[in-house]
PDB file of all heavy atoms in Angstrom:
ATOM      1  N   ILE A  17     -14.771 -10.589  12.734  1.00  0.00           N
ATOM      2  CA  ILE A  17     -13.578 -11.461  12.532  1.00  0.00           C
ATOM      3  C   ILE A  17     -12.360 -10.767  12.912  1.00  0.00           C
ATOM      4  O   ILE A  17     -11.543 -11.494  13.577  1.00  0.00           O
ATOM      5  CB  ILE A  17     -13.654 -11.956  11.058  1.00  0.00           C
ATOM      6  CG1 ILE A  17     -14.783 -12.808  10.759  1.00  0.00           C
ATOM      7  CG2 ILE A  17     -12.311 -12.703  10.762  1.00  0.00           C
ATOM      8  CD1 ILE A  17     -15.009 -13.177   9.274  1.00  0.00           C
ATOM      9  N   ALA A  18     -12.234  -9.545  12.715  1.00  0.00           N
ATOM     10  CA  ALA A  18     -11.043  -8.759  13.094  1.00  0.00           C
ATOM     11  C   ALA A  18     -10.860  -8.872  14.588  1.00  0.00           C
ATOM     12  O   ALA A  18      -9.677  -8.819  15.010  1.00  0.00           O
ATOM     13  CB  ALA A  18     -11.112  -7.367  12.515  1.00  0.00           C
ATOM     14  N   LEU A  19     -11.890  -8.876  15.267  1.00  0.00           N
ATOM     15  CA  LEU A  19     -11.788  -8.955  16.727  1.00  0.00           C
ATOM     16  C   LEU A  19     -11.200 -10.295  17.257  1.00  0.00           C
ATOM     17  O   LEU A  19     -10.456 -10.379  18.159  1.00  0.00           O
ATOM     18  CB  LEU A  19     -13.182  -8.800  17.438  1.00  0.00           C
ATOM     19  CG  LEU A  19     -13.803  -7.374  17.297  1.00  0.00           C
ATOM     20  CD1 LEU A  19     -15.205  -7.385  17.888  1.00  0.00           C
ATOM     21  CD2 LEU A  19     -12.934  -6.412  18.043  1.00  0.00           C
ATOM     22  N   TYR A  20     -11.505 -11.356  16.566  1.00  0.00           N
ATOM     23  CA  TYR A  20     -11.037 -12.721  16.808  1.00  0.00           C
ATOM     24  C   TYR A  20      -9.806 -13.011  16.250  1.00  0.00           C
ATOM     25  O   TYR A  20      -9.047 -13.931  16.695  1.00  0.00           O
ATOM     26  CB  TYR A  20     -12.118 -13.775  16.361  1.00  0.00           C
ATOM     27  CG  TYR A  20     -13.365 -13.660  17.167  1.00  0.00           C
ATOM     28  CD1 TYR A  20     -14.454 -13.195  16.638  1.00  0.00           C
ATOM     29  CD2 TYR A  20     -13.379 -14.190  18.484  1.00  0.00           C
ATOM     30  CE1 TYR A  20     -15.664 -13.097  17.359  1.00  0.00           C
ATOM     31  CE2 TYR A  20     -14.554 -14.111  19.205  1.00  0.00           C
ATOM     32  CZ  TYR A  20     -15.788 -13.575  18.711  1.00  0.00           C
ATOM     33  OH  TYR A  20     -16.885 -13.482  19.341  1.00  0.00           O
ATOM     34  N   VAL A  21      -9.362 -12.326  15.161  1.00  0.00           N
ATOM     35  CA  VAL A  21      -8.091 -12.549  14.463  1.00  0.00           C
ATOM     36  C   VAL A  21      -7.346 -11.162  14.288  1.00  0.00           C
ATOM     37  O   VAL A  21      -7.290 -10.640  13.172  1.00  0.00           O
ATOM     38  CB  VAL A  21      -8.373 -13.224  13.016  1.00  0.00           C
ATOM     39  CG1 VAL A  21      -6.973 -13.660  12.444  1.00  0.00           C
ATOM     40  CG2 VAL A  21      -9.278 -14.441  13.132  1.00  0.00           C
ATOM     41  N   PRO A  22      -6.911 -10.617  15.354  1.00  0.00           N
ATOM     42  CA  PRO A  22      -6.341  -9.241  15.363  1.00  0.00           C
ATOM     43  C   PRO A  22      -5.092  -9.099  14.614  1.00  0.00           C
ATOM     44  O   PRO A  22      -4.662  -8.027  14.349  1.00  0.00           O
ATOM     45  CB  PRO A  22      -6.191  -8.965  16.840  1.00  0.00           C
ATOM     46  CG  PRO A  22      -6.007 -10.230  17.541  1.00  0.00           C
ATOM     47  CD  PRO A  22      -6.936 -11.172  16.740  1.00  0.00           C
ATOM     48  N   SER A  23      -4.392 -10.220  14.280  1.00  0.00           N
ATOM     49  CA  SER A  23      -3.090 -10.123  13.615  1.00  0.00           C
ATOM     50  C   SER A  23      -3.311  -9.831  12.072  1.00  0.00           C
ATOM     51  O   SER A  23      -2.367  -9.435  11.383  1.00  0.00           O
ATOM     52  CB  SER A  23      -2.346 -11.395  13.679  1.00  0.00           C
ATOM     53  OG  SER A  23      -3.054 -12.490  13.160  1.00  0.00           O
ATOM     54  N   LEU A  24      -4.634  -9.894  11.632  1.00  0.00           N
ATOM     55  CA  LEU A  24      -4.895  -9.437  10.208  1.00  0.00           C
ATOM     56  C   LEU A  24      -5.600  -8.137  10.233  1.00  0.00           C
ATOM     57  O   LEU A  24      -6.556  -7.906  10.909  1.00  0.00           O
ATOM     58  CB  LEU A  24      -5.743 -10.581   9.571  1.00  0.00           C
ATOM     59  CG  LEU A  24      -5.162 -11.967   9.424  1.00  0.00           C
ATOM     60  CD1 LEU A  24      -6.262 -12.887   8.779  1.00  0.00           C
ATOM     61  CD2 LEU A  24      -3.944 -11.959   8.691  1.00  0.00           C
ATOM     62  N   SER A  25      -5.173  -7.341   9.322  1.00  0.00           N
ATOM     63  CA  SER A  25      -5.838  -5.988   9.292  1.00  0.00           C
ATOM     64  C   SER A  25      -7.197  -6.153   8.513  1.00  0.00           C
ATOM     65  O   SER A  25      -7.460  -7.189   7.756  1.00  0.00           O
ATOM     66  CB  SER A  25      -4.958  -5.081   8.424  1.00  0.00           C
ATOM     67  OG  SER A  25      -4.905  -5.458   7.044  1.00  0.00           O
ATOM     68  N   LEU A  26      -7.951  -5.113   8.611  1.00  0.00           N
ATOM     69  CA  LEU A  26      -9.293  -5.156   7.913  1.00  0.00           C
ATOM     70  C   LEU A  26      -9.118  -5.288   6.407  1.00  0.00           C
ATOM     71  O   LEU A  26      -9.890  -5.946   5.685  1.00  0.00           O
ATOM     72  CB  LEU A  26     -10.191  -3.967   8.256  1.00  0.00           C
ATOM     73  CG  LEU A  26     -11.581  -4.015   8.221  1.00  0.00           C
ATOM     74  CD1 LEU A  26     -12.173  -5.287   8.672  1.00  0.00           C
ATOM     75  CD2 LEU A  26     -12.330  -2.842   8.756  1.00  0.00           C
ATOM     76  N   ASP A  27      -8.067  -4.565   5.894  1.00  0.00           N
ATOM     77  CA  ASP A  27      -7.779  -4.662   4.440  1.00  0.00           C
ATOM     78  C   ASP A  27      -7.449  -6.071   4.089  1.00  0.00           C
ATOM     79  O   ASP A  27      -7.839  -6.532   2.943  1.00  0.00           O
ATOM     80  CB  ASP A  27      -6.643  -3.672   4.052  1.00  0.00           C
ATOM     81  CG  ASP A  27      -7.102  -2.251   4.074  1.00  0.00           C
ATOM     82  OD1 ASP A  27      -8.297  -1.961   3.979  1.00  0.00           O
ATOM     83  OD2 ASP A  27      -6.217  -1.339   4.256  1.00  0.00           O
ATOM     84  N   GLU A  28      -6.633  -6.778   4.871  1.00  0.00           N
ATOM     85  CA  GLU A  28      -6.318  -8.098   4.603  1.00  0.00           C
ATOM     86  C   GLU A  28      -7.522  -8.982   4.572  1.00  0.00           C
ATOM     87  O   GLU A  28      -7.698  -9.949   3.708  1.00  0.00           O
ATOM     88  CB  GLU A  28      -5.216  -8.673   5.545  1.00  0.00           C
ATOM     89  CG  GLU A  28      -3.834  -8.172   5.450  1.00  0.00           C
ATOM     90  CD  GLU A  28      -2.983  -8.680   6.499  1.00  0.00           C
ATOM     91  OE1 GLU A  28      -3.080  -8.239   7.658  1.00  0.00           O
ATOM     92  OE2 GLU A  28      -2.033  -9.395   6.128  1.00  0.00           O
ATOM     93  N   LEU A  29      -8.476  -8.709   5.504  1.00  0.00           N
ATOM     94  CA  LEU A  29      -9.654  -9.520   5.621  1.00  0.00           C
ATOM     95  C   LEU A  29     -10.507  -9.290   4.369  1.00  0.00           C
ATOM     96  O   LEU A  29     -11.169 -10.242   3.848  1.00  0.00           O
ATOM     97  CB  LEU A  29     -10.452  -9.186   6.890  1.00  0.00           C
ATOM     98  CG  LEU A  29      -9.771  -9.786   8.131  1.00  0.00           C
ATOM     99  CD1 LEU A  29     -10.465  -9.244   9.394  1.00  0.00           C
ATOM    100  CD2 LEU A  29      -9.733 -11.345   8.165  1.00  0.00           C
ATOM    101  N   ARG A  30     -10.549  -8.011   3.888  1.00  0.00           N
ATOM    102  CA  ARG A  30     -11.357  -7.719   2.705  1.00  0.00           C
ATOM    103  C   ARG A  30     -10.824  -8.404   1.540  1.00  0.00           C
ATOM    104  O   ARG A  30     -11.567  -8.961   0.673  1.00  0.00           O
ATOM    105  CB  ARG A  30     -11.345  -6.249   2.499  1.00  0.00           C
ATOM    106  CG  ARG A  30     -12.247  -5.454   3.390  1.00  0.00           C
ATOM    107  CD  ARG A  30     -12.389  -3.974   3.016  1.00  0.00           C
ATOM    108  NE  ARG A  30     -13.057  -3.253   4.058  1.00  0.00           N
ATOM    109  CZ  ARG A  30     -12.618  -2.317   4.851  1.00  0.00           C
ATOM    110  NH1 ARG A  30     -11.324  -1.910   4.684  1.00  0.00           N
ATOM    111  NH2 ARG A  30     -13.292  -1.749   5.732  1.00  0.00           N
ATOM    112  N   GLN A  31      -9.467  -8.449   1.454  1.00  0.00           N
ATOM    113  CA  GLN A  31      -8.816  -9.167   0.274  1.00  0.00           C
ATOM    114  C   GLN A  31      -9.207 -10.667   0.390  1.00  0.00           C
ATOM    115  O   GLN A  31      -9.448 -11.256  -0.669  1.00  0.00           O
ATOM    116  CB  GLN A  31      -7.267  -8.871   0.313  1.00  0.00           C
ATOM    117  CG  GLN A  31      -6.630  -9.483  -0.861  1.00  0.00           C
ATOM    118  CD  GLN A  31      -5.134  -9.203  -0.809  1.00  0.00           C
ATOM    119  OE1 GLN A  31      -4.640  -8.593   0.123  1.00  0.00           O
ATOM    120  NE2 GLN A  31      -4.391  -9.785  -1.776  1.00  0.00           N
ATOM    121  N   LEU A  32      -8.984 -11.154   1.532  1.00  0.00           N
ATOM    122  CA  LEU A  32      -9.339 -12.604   1.729  1.00  0.00           C
ATOM    123  C   LEU A  32     -10.712 -12.967   1.409  1.00  0.00           C
ATOM    124  O   LEU A  32     -11.021 -13.986   0.742  1.00  0.00           O
ATOM    125  CB  LEU A  32      -8.955 -12.989   3.127  1.00  0.00           C
ATOM    126  CG  LEU A  32      -9.144 -14.540   3.538  1.00  0.00           C
ATOM    127  CD1 LEU A  32      -8.224 -15.384   2.607  1.00  0.00           C
ATOM    128  CD2 LEU A  32      -8.723 -14.724   5.034  1.00  0.00           C
ATOM    129  N   GLU A  33     -11.632 -12.116   1.859  1.00  0.00           N
ATOM    130  CA  GLU A  33     -13.053 -12.336   1.473  1.00  0.00           C
ATOM    131  C   GLU A  33     -13.212 -12.298  -0.042  1.00  0.00           C
ATOM    132  O   GLU A  33     -14.046 -13.189  -0.528  1.00  0.00           O
ATOM    133  CB  GLU A  33     -13.916 -11.200   2.145  1.00  0.00           C
ATOM    134  CG  GLU A  33     -15.309 -11.340   1.804  1.00  0.00           C
ATOM    135  CD  GLU A  33     -16.191 -10.288   2.475  1.00  0.00           C
ATOM    136  OE1 GLU A  33     -15.852  -9.065   2.248  1.00  0.00           O
ATOM    137  OE2 GLU A  33     -17.247 -10.531   3.145  1.00  0.00           O
ATOM    138  N   ALA A  34     -12.610 -11.342  -0.694  1.00  0.00           N
ATOM    139  CA  ALA A  34     -12.778 -11.361  -2.206  1.00  0.00           C
ATOM    140  C   ALA A  34     -12.228 -12.654  -2.745  1.00  0.00           C
ATOM    141  O   ALA A  34     -12.818 -13.198  -3.782  1.00  0.00           O
ATOM    142  CB  ALA A  34     -11.993 -10.109  -2.695  1.00  0.00           C
ATOM    143  N   GLU A  35     -11.095 -13.161  -2.212  1.00  0.00           N
ATOM    144  CA  GLU A  35     -10.584 -14.458  -2.763  1.00  0.00           C
ATOM    145  C   GLU A  35     -11.508 -15.599  -2.597  1.00  0.00           C
ATOM    146  O   GLU A  35     -11.667 -16.423  -3.362  1.00  0.00           O
ATOM    147  CB  GLU A  35      -9.132 -14.715  -2.167  1.00  0.00           C
ATOM    148  CG  GLU A  35      -8.129 -13.737  -2.542  1.00  0.00           C
ATOM    149  CD  GLU A  35      -6.898 -13.867  -1.660  1.00  0.00           C
ATOM    150  OE1 GLU A  35      -6.677 -14.933  -0.991  1.00  0.00           O
ATOM    151  OE2 GLU A  35      -5.995 -12.930  -1.731  1.00  0.00           O
ATOM    152  N   VAL A  36     -12.152 -15.598  -1.422  1.00  0.00           N
ATOM    153  CA  VAL A  36     -12.973 -16.735  -1.001  1.00  0.00           C
ATOM    154  C   VAL A  36     -14.222 -16.669  -1.904  1.00  0.00           C
ATOM    155  O   VAL A  36     -14.708 -17.684  -2.310  1.00  0.00           O
ATOM    156  CB  VAL A  36     -13.364 -16.601   0.554  1.00  0.00           C
ATOM    157  CG1 VAL A  36     -14.552 -17.543   0.811  1.00  0.00           C
ATOM    158  CG2 VAL A  36     -12.181 -16.943   1.384  1.00  0.00           C
ATOM    159  N   MET A  37     -14.737 -15.501  -2.107  1.00  0.00           N
ATOM    160  CA  MET A  37     -15.877 -15.360  -2.916  1.00  0.00           C
ATOM    161  C   MET A  37     -15.710 -15.674  -4.372  1.00  0.00           C
ATOM    162  O   MET A  37     -16.604 -16.234  -5.099  1.00  0.00           O
ATOM    163  CB  MET A  37     -16.440 -13.915  -2.819  1.00  0.00           C
ATOM    164  CG  MET A  37     -16.979 -13.572  -1.513  1.00  0.00           C
ATOM    165  SD  MET A  37     -18.163 -14.749  -0.829  1.00  0.00           S
ATOM    166  CE  MET A  37     -18.418 -14.218   0.825  1.00  0.00           C
ATOM    167  N   GLN A  38     -14.478 -15.420  -4.840  1.00  0.00           N
ATOM    168  CA  GLN A  38     -14.121 -15.853  -6.203  1.00  0.00           C
ATOM    169  C   GLN A  38     -14.152 -17.381  -6.410  1.00  0.00           C
ATOM    170  O   GLN A  38     -14.477 -17.889  -7.403  1.00  0.00           O
ATOM    171  CB  GLN A  38     -12.726 -15.284  -6.585  1.00  0.00           C
ATOM    172  CG  GLN A  38     -12.733 -14.018  -7.312  1.00  0.00           C
ATOM    173  CD  GLN A  38     -11.334 -13.616  -7.795  1.00  0.00           C
ATOM    174  OE1 GLN A  38     -10.371 -14.095  -7.338  1.00  0.00           O
ATOM    175  NE2 GLN A  38     -11.288 -12.621  -8.702  1.00  0.00           N
ATOM    176  N   LEU A  39     -13.637 -18.037  -5.371  1.00  0.00           N
ATOM    177  CA  LEU A  39     -13.632 -19.509  -5.338  1.00  0.00           C
ATOM    178  C   LEU A  39     -14.960 -20.209  -5.263  1.00  0.00           C
ATOM    179  O   LEU A  39     -15.049 -21.291  -5.566  1.00  0.00           O
ATOM    180  CB  LEU A  39     -12.632 -19.972  -4.355  1.00  0.00           C
ATOM    181  CG  LEU A  39     -11.134 -19.568  -4.477  1.00  0.00           C
ATOM    182  CD1 LEU A  39     -10.285 -20.064  -3.346  1.00  0.00           C
ATOM    183  CD2 LEU A  39     -10.547 -20.094  -5.889  1.00  0.00           C
ATOM    184  N   ALA A  40     -15.883 -19.531  -4.697  1.00  0.00           N
ATOM    185  CA  ALA A  40     -17.206 -20.110  -4.409  1.00  0.00           C
ATOM    186  C   ALA A  40     -18.010 -20.263  -5.571  1.00  0.00           C
ATOM    187  O   ALA A  40     -17.843 -19.805  -6.669  1.00  0.00           O
ATOM    188  CB  ALA A  40     -17.934 -19.164  -3.368  1.00  0.00           C
TER     189      ALA A  40
END
């Protein structure tokens, strides 16, 4: 995903993943 959305850092993606998983 970081390759397709390079404006977000891997840390930001990890945080976003955690938020998404909490809502699921």
Side-chain angles (χ1 to χ4, degrees):
I17 293 172
L19 294 173
Y20 292 103
V21 189
S23 61
L24 298 179
S25 70
L26 201 49
D27 287 336
E28 287 177 292
L29 290 173
R30 286 187 186 113
Q31 182 180 1
L32 184 58
E33 180 182 48
E35 291 172 15
V36 168
M37 294 307 174
Q38 266 187 343
L39 296 174

